[in-house]
Amino acid sequence: MKFHHHRLANGLNIIGEISPSARSTALGFFVRTGARDEVSQVSGVSHFLEHMVFKGTPRRTALDVNCDFDRIGANYNAFTSEENTVFYAAVLPEYVPQAVDILADILRPSLRGEDFEGEKKVILEEIAMYEDQPMWCAYDHAKKAYFADHPLGNSVLGSVASVQALTREQMQAYFDRRYVGPNITVAAAGNFDWRGLLKLIDKHCGNWPSGKAPRKGVRPAAGRDSFQVVPKDKVQQEHVFLISPAPAADAPLRHAADVLAMILGDDTDSRMHWALVDPGLADSADVSFHDYEGTGSFFTSLSCAPEQTQKNLSILRGLFRQVQADGVSAEELAQAKSKVLSRVVRASERPMGRMQALGMSWTYLGKYRSMDDELKAFEAVTLKKIREVLDRHPFAEMATLALGPLKKLRKPR
Amino acid sequence: MKFHHHRLANGLNIIGEISPSARSTALGFFVRTGARDEVSQVSGVSHFLEHMVFKGTPRRTALDVNCDFDRIGANYNAFTSEENTVFYAAVLPEYVPQAVDILADILRPSLRGEDFEGEKKVILEEIAMYEDQPMWCAYDHAKKAYFADHPLGNSVLGSVASVQALTREQMQAYFDRRYVGPNITVAAAGNFDWRGLLKLIDKHCGNWPSGKAPRKGVRPAAGRDSFQVVPKDKVQQEHVFLISPAPAADAPLRHAADVLAMILGDDTDSRMHWALVDPGLADSADVSFHDYEGTGSFFTSLSCAPEQTQKNLSILRGLFRQVQADGVSAEELAQAKSKVLSRVVRASERPMGRMQALGMSWTYLGKYRSMDDELKAFEAVTLKKIREVLDRHPFAEMATLALGPLKKLRKPR
């Protein structure tokens, strides 16, 4: 494995990790922009723009984009989150030039008026579809309750009203501000020639504008002790999210936080699994650690029969009290480490997995982390560090939101 | 990459492909048994037995199986099909001894009476759950219509009646007949020591009984020109399957058949995509090639609004007539090859992918196929070979089954 980094004159960063034994190459364009970078008037613009990127350029129609990717057998896609918009493709090494040509071209989209209006309908359908998914609704509501006026509470999809009101000109202005050289990292992993890649990226992206794309509102989110019930008809189960503070994406304690989440609420063999899922009290109960720029959170989710919800919330409350008081055991720590090490290795086995890890690491930390760096960081997690996570980010103040058939619930004491 | 093969005295085959640069190891136990090996009285026993394998042994309770896998961070699972029951796990190389210990142990399950009755409820729930999925129901009905009295028409899940009537003794008898040495292949891929693996397998599996486990009814399925409509309430869309003959799993034409299916009905950029999905006439329309021991079939599936179904069936009929008359173009062939080569490479990148490919190749062909063997076989597909597939297995006689709101449909001419 060899790592390389280069910065173009316009500020665009190019990073690459070469694995000579790989038989494919994964390429990703990481734009450091997402829902948290939107003002409320343009809520949903990052995600809508991600769709528009596939709708064509001066050189390609939407059909050409699709056919050109298919002609080289590319496995390609994109996603938008609160903080990132990422476009990527995995191809055989001989098709890297074509893949760069397509990806770089579509990252300068035409944003044609007729495509914009057509795609707006698709986005509105996507919003309607998500509104049919109670777990997702509960998540979006809970995020708003927890983050309140913090920009991480912004919805990635936006609302029907904000998307309907959005104009092509607003999207163009957002694009011009955010899709500038210094705000974009190109990450490559697998089998490729570094000098050749540099030349290609320089040729296709060297003339992209530079400029500053500062992120506002980078600050810890305040812990929040709230309790909300959102009645929803035509839903069978009750869906509950509990959100509490956790370390940020660049915090030294982030690996310990990840291990703690696994001990408490991994989908197999965790405290919640044995207390709630295994005895059949809940369909699912898990904890995951989400790290962001400037803050982080533990997301606990629970899905169960409505009549069981009150009791399950008490059980959850008991689990949090117990871990807060007594921490975790050495045996639990050892077992969680085995799991997490195995997952890191398996996620790194494909160029696609390494490309994602490289791009995220550069975006959040501005540095390279090899798979072994990650493994060592997880191996170095101690009981003391987990204690430190609990002390700094206690499971005491939690924003709780339940969505489902229930009209009311008592906050467990 | 180095390949090894060894056969134990009881007939159990062990195969392994070593990839020194891999950071994990995947292990699979491939039992050559499935729904096609069941008589109607025990329909569903293969799949039910797969579940029971995780319910414990003289050395382990069901809980121990779960905990022991988790302690080594294993990514483990199993599946049952018409022809195979496969148990597998991916682990870090240092945990290979424990993984073999667990997998080999559970492959000699206790089949305890109380576990059997408890798991029967889980299986019945699984059957009920699948019956809620119209696409799956259409598939199961279509398979029965096409295969008729051929054993490949047997349902993998079985019916509520057959599962309810199944006894522990019938399952034990099926296990004793089918889970014998010569009917099992252990496949390993990734980073491991071959001599060490052999010793482990010999220690844990060397005393397993031998014996013959012949497969009955290995023969081509007759093409069948049938047309059936199954009205189903509470379903919004019409779900249609069309099944027609194709090459068998060991046929030299199988790679050409795979490429032909891709040109006709891949999920992006295929003839069906442009004729039905892209213009919005159907939600989905695709063709896939299923190869079995002794026979094969093309499965064409279509999902669309009920009122559009009649017209879509005519369009499909037109597409099949056209390909039957004119074959495919050199450009289509070149593009499909790019796609398929890229998919083969990406599927082979993880030990898990290679282990699956190795086990299946050994089970069906009794020989080793490297990733490069597969790539060469796809590269060698010509227009002439595709013509040969069409001539030997014409899209003329097709079993068509539609399930959804419609009460009747005309067979398109």
Side-chain angles (χ1 to χ4, degrees):
Chain A
M1 298 285 182
K2 196 152 182 215
F3 178 75
H4 299 275
H5 167 238
H6 179 77
R7 197 179 155 95
L8 296 185
N10 64 6
L12 182 141
N13 282 291
I14 311 166
I15 55 175
E17 185 186 77
I18 295 165
S19 161
S21 66
R23 301 285 294 249
S24 73
T25 311
L27 291 164
F29 281 66
F30 292 72
V31 190
R32 185 173 156 276
T33 201
R36 76 177 288 170
D37 303 300
E38 300 169 353
V39 292
S40 61
Q41 292 88 329
V42 297
S43 175
V45 68
S46 309
H47 171 254
F48 190 169
L49 175 55
E50 175 219 309
H51 279 234
M52 287 302 294
V53 160
F54 290 91
K55 293 294 143 200
T57 69
R59 282 171 53 207
R60 282 182 174 92
T61 63
L63 185 62
D64 292 335
V65 174
N66 187 320
C67 289
D68 288 354
F69 270 129
D70 270 335
R71 198 161 292 133
I72 59 171
N75 177 27
Y76 66 100
N77 215 332
F79 66 83
T80 307
S81 69
E82 283 82 359
E83 305 195 307
N84 302 290
T85 312
V86 181
F87 304 86
Y88 58 91
V91 294
L92 299 186
E94 59 265 39
Y95 294 125
V96 166
Q98 289 94 320
V100 171
D101 182 291
I102 307 168
L103 283 167
D105 186 35
I106 65 176
L107 262 286
R108 300 290 114 182
S110 292
L111 307 182
R112 284 179 279 256
E114 60 203 295
D115 295 330
F116 181 84
E117 293 309 322
E119 201 58 23
K120 191 179 267 192
K121 293 197 191 84
V122 174
I123 303 283
L124 292 170
E125 274 171 35
E126 193 173 335
I127 294 176
M129 196 186 73
Y130 272 103
E131 276 170 5
D132 271 352
Q133 300 179 20
M135 197 49 126
W136 187 86
C137 285
Y139 168 81
D140 217 42
H141 275 91
K143 244 180 37 162
K144 273 183 200 125
Y146 175 76
F147 286 108
D149 60 348
H150 190 287
L152 279 167
N154 295 354
S155 165
V156 172
L157 292 178
S159 67
V160 170
S162 70
V163 169
Q164 247 160 1
L166 196 73
T167 66
R168 207 205 71 83
E169 290 65 35
Q170 285 173 310
M171 182 181 281
Q172 184 73 58
Y174 176 85
F175 174 84
D176 293 342
R177 262 199 323 278
R178 305 295 305 169
Y179 280 55
V180 292
N183 215 32
I184 300 174
T185 300
V186 179
N191 194 343
F192 63 97
D193 168 56
W194 171 249
R195 306 295 321 167
L197 180 74
L198 270 196
K199 265 195 200 160
L200 287 167
I201 304 284
D202 191 30
K203 176 181 154 200
H204 291 286
C205 314
N207 64 346
W208 290 3
S210 190
K212 284 187 179 144
R215 172 163 281 168
K216 291 177 192 156
V218 174
R219 60 175 196 270
R224 195 170 297 274
D225 198 18
S226 72
F227 193 86
Q228 240 182 294
V229 180
V230 178
K232 182 130 180 160
D233 289 344
K234 296 185 192 164
V235 169
Q236 303 302 312
Q237 299 292 81
E238 195 71 18
H239 301 273
V240 188
F241 269 93
L242 300 95
I243 312 185
S244 56
D250 61 350
L253 281 176
R254 67 187 184 278
H255 298 92
D258 221 358
V259 171
L260 173 59
M262 188 168 262
I263 292 171
L264 281 175
D266 191 39
D267 58 353
T268 59
D269 207 16
S270 62
R271 291 192 182 184
M272 286 186 195
H273 178 81
W274 297 116
L276 292 163
V277 181
D278 185 70
L281 302 177
D283 308 325
S284 68
D286 50 69
V287 182
S288 56
F289 165 54
H290 292 215
D291 51 344
Y292 307 100
E293 196 176 332
T295 192
S297 13
F298 288 115
F299 279 69
T300 302
S301 81
L302 166 75
S303 153
C304 61
E307 62 275 16
Q308 186 61 33
T309 313
Q310 190 72 60
K311 195 180 162 204
N312 286 348
L313 285 178
S314 296
I315 295 173
L316 275 182
R317 170 61 63 182
L319 290 176
F320 288 125
R321 282 231 175 90
Q322 196 186 354
V323 74
Q324 201 59 48
D326 306 331
V328 304
S329 73
E331 199 191 337
E332 285 177 315
L333 176 60
Q335 181 159 335
K337 277 191 196 179
S338 285
K339 277 199 215 177
V340 81
L341 295 178
S342 174
R343 284 182 200 179
V344 170
V345 167
R346 282 184 282 109
S348 304
E349 280 173 337
R350 311 179 91 155
M352 193 65 119
R354 281 305 296 156
M355 177 273 288
Q356 300 276 3
L358 287 176
M360 288 303 178
S361 167
W362 198 269
T363 301
Y364 285 98
L365 309 170
K367 66 179 178 189
Y368 171 60
R369 304 267 308 164
S370 69
M371 185 185 83
D372 284 317
D373 292 337
E374 280 300 291
L375 293 177
K376 277 181 204 144
F378 278 112
E379 271 161 9
V381 172
T382 56
L383 291 174
K384 192 162 158 259
K385 284 186 186 170
I386 290 195
R387 184 70 260 168
E388 210 177 322
V389 174
L390 288 163
D391 290 342
R392 289 194 190 198
H393 310 280
F395 286 106
E397 301 188 317
M398 305 188 84
T400 304
L401 188 133
L403 181 143
L406 294 179
K407 297 217 166 27
K408 57 182 182 178
L409 269 168
R410 283 187 323 279
K411 185 177 170 183
R413 270 175 301 178
Chain B
M1 296 286 181
K2 193 148 186 220
F3 178 75
H4 299 275
H5 167 238
H6 180 78
R7 197 179 155 97
L8 295 185
N10 63 5
L12 182 142
N13 282 291
I14 311 167
I15 55 175
E17 184 186 76
I18 295 165
S19 162
S21 66
R23 301 285 294 252
S24 74
T25 311
L27 290 165
F29 282 66
F30 291 71
V31 191
R32 185 173 156 277
T33 201
R36 75 177 289 168
D37 303 301
E38 300 169 353
V39 292
S40 61
Q41 292 87 330
V42 297
S43 175
V45 69
S46 308
H47 171 252
F48 190 168
L49 175 54
E50 174 220 309
H51 279 233
M52 287 303 295
V53 160
F54 290 91
K55 293 294 144 202
T57 69
R59 283 171 53 207
R60 284 183 171 92
T61 63
L63 186 61
D64 292 335
V65 174
N66 187 319
C67 289
D68 287 354
F69 270 129
D70 271 335
R71 198 162 292 134
I72 58 172
N75 177 27
Y76 67 101
N77 214 332
F79 66 83
T80 306
S81 69
E82 283 83 359
E83 306 195 305
N84 301 291
T85 313
V86 181
F87 304 85
Y88 59 90
V91 294
L92 299 187
E94 59 264 40
Y95 293 125
V96 166
Q98 290 94 319
V100 171
D101 181 289
I102 307 168
L103 283 168
D105 187 34
I106 64 175
L107 262 286
R108 301 289 115 182
S110 292
L111 306 181
R112 285 178 279 257
E114 60 203 296
D115 295 331
F116 181 85
E117 294 309 323
E119 201 60 21
K120 191 179 267 193
K121 294 197 191 85
V122 174
I123 304 282
L124 292 170
E125 274 171 36
E126 194 173 336
I127 294 176
M129 195 187 73
Y130 273 103
E131 277 171 4
D132 272 350
Q133 300 179 19
M135 197 49 125
W136 186 85
C137 286
Y139 168 80
D140 217 40
H141 276 90
K143 244 180 37 163
K144 272 182 201 127
Y146 174 77
F147 286 109
D149 59 348
H150 190 288
L152 279 168
N154 295 353
S155 166
V156 172
L157 292 177
S159 66
V160 170
S162 70
V163 169
Q164 247 159 1
L166 197 74
T167 66
R168 207 207 71 84
E169 289 66 33
Q170 286 173 309
M171 183 179 281
Q172 184 71 58
Y174 176 84
F175 174 84
D176 292 341
R177 263 200 323 277
R178 306 294 306 170
Y179 280 55
V180 292
N183 216 31
I184 300 175
T185 300
V186 179
N191 193 342
F192 63 98
D193 167 55
W194 171 249
R195 305 295 321 165
L197 179 73
L198 270 195
K199 266 196 201 159
L200 288 167
I201 304 284
D202 191 29
K203 176 181 155 200
H204 291 287
C205 314
N207 64 345
W208 290 4
S210 190
K212 285 186 178 148
R215 170 164 282 167
K216 290 178 192 157
V218 174
R219 60 175 196 269
R224 194 170 298 275
D225 198 20
S226 72
F227 194 86
Q228 239 182 293
V229 180
V230 178
K232 182 129 183 160
D233 289 343
K234 295 185 193 163
V235 169
Q236 304 301 312
Q237 299 292 81
E238 195 72 17
H239 301 272
V240 188
F241 269 93
L242 300 94
I243 314 186
S244 56
D250 62 350
L253 281 177
R254 67 188 184 277
H255 298 91
D258 220 357
V259 171
L260 173 59
M262 189 169 260
I263 292 171
L264 281 175
D266 190 40
D267 59 353
T268 59
D269 206 15
S270 63
R271 291 191 183 185
M272 285 187 195
H273 178 80
W274 297 117
L276 292 163
V277 181
D278 184 71
L281 302 176
D283 307 326
S284 68
D286 50 70
V287 182
S288 56
F289 165 54
H290 292 215
D291 50 345
Y292 307 100
E293 196 175 332
T295 193
S297 10
F298 289 114
F299 281 69
T300 302
S301 81
L302 167 75
S303 152
C304 61
E307 62 276 16
Q308 186 60 34
T309 313
Q310 190 72 62
K311 196 181 159 204
N312 286 348
L313 286 178
S314 296
I315 294 174
L316 275 182
R317 171 59 66 182
L319 290 176
F320 287 126
R321 282 231 175 92
Q322 196 185 355
V323 76
Q324 200 58 49
D326 306 330
V328 303
S329 73
E331 199 192 337
E332 285 176 315
L333 176 60
Q335 181 160 336
K337 277 192 197 179
S338 285
K339 275 199 218 178
V340 83
L341 295 178
S342 173
R343 282 182 202 179
V344 170
V345 168
R346 282 183 282 110
S348 305
E349 280 172 338
R350 312 178 91 155
M352 193 67 117
R354 281 304 297 156
M355 177 274 287
Q356 299 277 3
L358 287 176
M360 287 303 178
S361 167
W362 199 268
T363 301
Y364 285 99
L365 309 170
K367 66 179 180 189
Y368 171 59
R369 305 265 308 165
S370 68
M371 184 184 84
D372 285 318
D373 292 336
E374 280 301 291
L375 293 178
K376 276 181 205 143
F378 279 114
E379 272 161 10
V381 172
T382 56
L383 291 175
K384 191 161 157 261
K385 284 187 185 167
I386 290 195
R387 183 73 260 167
E388 209 177 322
V389 174
L390 289 163
D391 290 343
R392 291 197 189 195
H393 310 280
F395 286 107
E397 299 188 318
M398 305 189 83
T400 304
L401 189 133
L403 181 144
L406 293 179
K407 296 217 165 25
K408 56 180 181 178
L409 268 169
R410 285 189 319 280
K411 186 178 168 185
R413 271 175 301 179

